[in-house]
Amino acid sequence: MEVLNQVINRLEGLQQETSTVGNSAASIICETGEFMRELPGIIDQLKQVQVDLNTKKDHGGNHDL
């Protein structure tokens, strides 16, 4: 679940950094560009969480959740 927490934290950070309140247009564009570069890795992390959850479901246990 650590991976899921990392992804959530990154998305919350993106939300804060791209808020139009208190951030310049240039910083929003910069942050969005940085996030887009990270996006393939984030998608891979989420896919792994999905595989892990499906594996636990298939084996009848999700005790670690």
Side-chain angles (χ1 to χ4, degrees):
M1 295 311 283
E2 181 60 31
V3 171
L4 188 55
N5 289 333
Q6 290 172 356
V7 171
I8 290 170
N9 287 338
R10 180 61 182 107
L11 292 173
E12 288 175 339
L14 176 68
Q15 184 180 29
Q16 290 174 350
E17 294 296 322
T18 58
S19 169
T20 55
V21 177
N23 293 306
S24 68
S27 71
I28 291 171
I29 291 168
C30 182
E31 183 63 29
T32 302
E34 183 178 322
F35 177 77
M36 293 307 291
R37 286 188 293 278
E38 295 174 12
L39 190 57
I42 291 170
I43 290 170
D44 288 343
Q45 288 176 309
L46 289 172
K47 284 180 179 179
Q48 185 58 52
V49 169
Q50 182 181 36
V51 166
D52 292 347
L53 289 172
N54 286 337
T55 301
K56 288 181 182 195
K57 186 174 106 178
D58 290 344
H59 292 105
N62 56 6
H63 306 291
D64 294 337
L65 298 179

